[in-house]
Amino acid sequence: MKTLSAVTEPPKAAPAGAGKKKAIMLALPVLVAVLLLLVPTPAGLEPYAWHFFAIFVGVIVGLIFEPLPGAVIGLTGVVVIALFSQFLLFSPAELANPKFKVASESFKWAVSGFGNSTVWLIFGAFMFAAGYDKTQFGRRLALILVKYLGRRSLTLGYAITFADLLLAPFTPSNTARSGGTIYPIIANLPPLYGSKPNDPSARKIGSYLMWVAITAACITSSMFLSALAPNLLALALVKSIIGFDISWGMWFLAFLPLGLLLILTMPLLAYWFYPPEVKINDEVPKWAMAELEKLGRLTRNEILLLVFVVCALLMWIFATSWIEPALAALLVVVLMLWTGVLSWNDITSNKPAWNTFAWFATLVALADGLARVGFITWLGKEGGMLLQGYDPQISAVVLLIAFFLLHYLFASTTAHTTALLPAMLTIAASIPGINMPVFCLMLCTSLGVMGIITPFGTGPSPIYYGSGYLPTKDYWRLGTIFGAIFLVSMMVIAYPWMVWMF
């Protein structure tokens, strides 16, 4: 008689109190939003802007505790604001204009995030990963890594970090670099160790490797002026507002001591704070060598994929003036479809890609809305008034910390740079005694590392968050820990170094 399989076993009853706990989690973001809505509007801020902020905070609370999938939370926030846009999104002046169509403008705002280039670049990165997976080219590269460096989990962590470091100076998009190039390869590593996404086995090694990869992307984005698109935007803003020119070499030198320290210690820090269960395995490298022999020579589709990926990388590095990185990624996706590397069914059935696409698009709209309603401008003015009369060094430090922590309100480094950098520069310039060259360098070089603090803080974040290896609670916890490490390191190491150098 056959033993009853796990598949045919009756479903287990839900743990006692699970329904009550879920109800509390569902009610919590609503309660937070309602409480903020009841708080009197701060002086100098329009009521509709404060009400928008209340809904935004409710969404963030929902994303932290995740009673429903993140995409559902984000979509709910967008729909609520669009439905009640007369009280949450549009100013009295806009509403008073007879030509202003509230219904159509509400909808345009609600879907605005879906037209964001970073959102499409993230989607393209998922399609790249699908190509790596289907052709087994990603498995081949992963096996090569494991063959030479796979005995220790820590050495794999360093291999991922140095791979990002090598690409960073030439790739002005960390989403393209990390999400489109690094992630599709390393996504094939965990299964080799029996580490599966959305499963307790994720902690074997997959969780560690994914966290190292996103952290490395954030560090390298701060190390090089050319490693992150908003870095170039920040450069232009500093020159136009302050009149201070920052060269590639000045940027690199300013962050060099801290950058080297973080690159050399971060995989080890991740190893301590988020240790993999598999630390040493002598058998896996031997097995990887045997598996590589079974794979044999490169197939037609693997060669095509390699050519397409190299072309994408070249476009991301050298052709950004002619073709948007997101469009370059979509071009490669079209080529993969036409050549049979991927099928249309591979695109439509990729649930993680579509889930992340919807989730991040709604967050981009919500975060951009904060600037639209004037909340960010008000916050900058209030911060400047509070600092009047204080020691200039204390004022500079407070502004730098605020600039870093306010990234919690943004789903895009570009949006953060556009909305907050001019305000911070203007406030600092009005305070006598602040070393403006150092202040400018500190603000600009922090743009990369601040992306670690949330699952939506920088382009590649949603990709690693959506990998299934980094649970929500782990991501927020580690983001807080590493964000604190990076911020303290900026103040303790980078700031004195820049004062001494510049």
Side-chain angles (χ1 to χ4, degrees):
M1 187 175 179
K2 291 183 179 180
T3 306
L4 185 67
S5 70
V7 177
T8 58
E9 288 179 3
K12 295 180 181 179
K20 184 178 179 181
K21 181 180 179 181
K22 184 175 182 180
I24 293 172
M25 291 296 100
L26 281 168
L28 188 60
V30 178
L31 180 62
V32 170
V34 170
L35 288 175
L36 282 173
L37 285 169
L38 295 175
V39 172
T41 303
L45 189 65
E46 292 289 340
Y48 74 96
W50 177 250
H51 298 157
F52 184 102
F53 176 69
I55 303 300
F56 181 86
V57 173
V59 169
I60 297 301
V61 171
L63 291 174
I64 293 172
F65 293 99
E66 207 171 37
L68 293 170
V72 176
I73 299 292
L75 187 60
T76 302
V78 166
V79 170
V80 167
I81 290 172
L83 284 174
F84 298 97
S85 58
Q86 295 184 27
F87 312 102
L88 300 171
L89 185 63
F90 300 128
S91 68
E94 287 175 310
L95 296 172
N97 186 349
K99 294 183 179 180
F100 188 79
K101 306 297 182 184
V102 174
S104 59
E105 292 300 323
S106 298
F107 180 75
K108 285 179 184 178
W109 171 82
V111 298
S112 61
F114 292 93
N116 182 276
S117 62
T118 302
V119 173
W120 282 101
L121 188 53
I122 290 169
F123 179 78
F126 272 98
M127 295 304 110
F128 279 30
Y132 276 82
D133 183 53
K134 186 175 182 180
T135 63
Q136 294 201 75
F137 185 58
R139 176 177 169 82
R140 185 186 297 275
L141 293 176
L143 287 169
I144 292 170
L145 269 177
V146 169
K147 176 182 174 181
Y148 294 105
L149 298 167
R151 183 173 178 269
R152 295 179 182 273
S153 302
L154 186 59
T155 55
L156 275 178
Y158 276 100
I160 292 168
T161 302
F162 289 133
D164 195 297
L165 181 66
L166 289 173
L167 291 172
F170 316 105
T171 317
S173 166
N174 61 357
T175 310
R177 177 176 74 252
S178 188
T181 306
I182 303 292
Y183 172 76
I185 297 171
I186 67 168
N188 292 271
L189 284 170
L192 304 181
Y193 294 80
S195 183
K196 301 174 183 177
N198 302 305
D199 187 82
S201 65
R203 285 301 305 274
K204 281 188 175 180
I205 194 171
S207 299
Y208 167 74
L209 295 180
M210 294 298 165
W211 185 252
V212 166
I214 181 58
T215 313
C218 291
I219 295 170
T220 57
S221 295
S222 278
M223 283 191 73
F224 305 101
L225 171 60
S226 50
L228 185 70
N231 289 350
L232 301 169
L233 172 61
L235 200 73
L237 290 173
V238 168
K239 185 175 181 179
S240 64
I241 296 171
I242 305 300
F244 177 54
D245 278 314
I246 302 175
S247 66
W248 196 99
M250 182 185 293
W251 183 298
F252 178 69
L253 187 61
F255 199 78
L256 181 60
L258 178 56
L260 285 178
L261 179 65
L262 292 178
I263 285 291
L264 294 174
T265 59
M266 181 274 299
L268 186 59
L269 289 172
Y271 195 81
W272 290 339
F273 286 109
Y274 204 41
E277 293 172 4
V278 176
K279 295 186 171 56
I280 298 178
N281 193 315
D282 291 313
E283 296 304 315
V284 172
K286 296 176 184 177
W287 170 82
M289 188 167 19
E291 289 297 303
L292 276 169
E293 292 176 2
K294 289 180 186 178
L295 280 178
R297 300 176 64 181
L298 285 170
T299 64
R300 166 193 174 272
N301 281 358
E302 284 183 278
I303 293 171
L304 283 173
L305 180 66
L306 176 60
V307 171
F308 294 155
V309 169
V310 169
C311 288
L313 193 59
L314 291 173
M315 284 188 283
W316 290 336
I317 295 171
F318 300 111
T320 51
S321 299
W322 299 283
I323 183 168
E324 172 72 33
L327 186 58
L330 290 176
L331 171 61
V332 170
V333 171
V334 169
L335 291 173
M336 287 195 286
L337 288 168
W338 274 82
T339 54
V341 173
L342 285 179
S343 68
W344 184 244
N345 186 58
D346 295 324
I347 304 290
T348 57
S349 62
N350 196 321
K351 291 182 180 179
W354 291 110
N355 178 64
T356 305
F357 179 77
W359 172 69
F360 195 62
T362 55
L363 284 181
V364 166
L366 287 167
D368 286 350
L370 277 178
R372 188 194 189 284
V373 299
F375 183 85
I376 300 299
T377 302
W378 169 83
L379 197 63
K381 289 180 180 177
E382 290 297 307
M385 291 175 63
L386 288 173
L387 292 174
Q388 294 297 326
Y390 285 91
D391 180 90
Q393 296 305 316
I394 294 175
S395 298
V397 169
V398 169
L399 286 172
L400 291 168
I401 293 173
F403 185 71
F404 190 98
L405 295 180
L406 284 171
H407 195 58
Y408 276 104
L409 303 179
F410 293 91
S412 160
T413 311
T414 302
H416 182 115
T417 305
T418 305
L420 276 187
L421 187 62
M424 291 294 177
L425 290 172
T426 304
I427 293 168
S430 68
I431 301 174
I434 287 185
N435 184 330
M436 286 307 295
V438 170
F439 184 80
C440 293
L441 285 167
M442 283 289 289
L443 285 180
C444 294
T445 55
S446 70
L447 290 171
V449 291
M450 68 172 60
I452 199 63
I453 60 179
T454 68
F456 49 83
T458 190
S461 302
I463 298 171
Y464 290 101
Y465 176 64
S467 68
Y469 288 101
L470 294 170
T472 302
K473 62 178 182 179
D474 288 356
Y475 206 116
W476 284 97
R477 176 177 62 85
L478 291 167
T480 301
I481 292 170
F482 278 75
I485 291 171
F486 291 168
L487 180 56
V488 171
S489 299
M490 287 284 296
M491 295 301 167
V492 174
I493 298 171
Y495 191 64
W497 165 259
M498 291 182 198
V499 168
W500 181 64
M501 285 295 298
F502 307 104

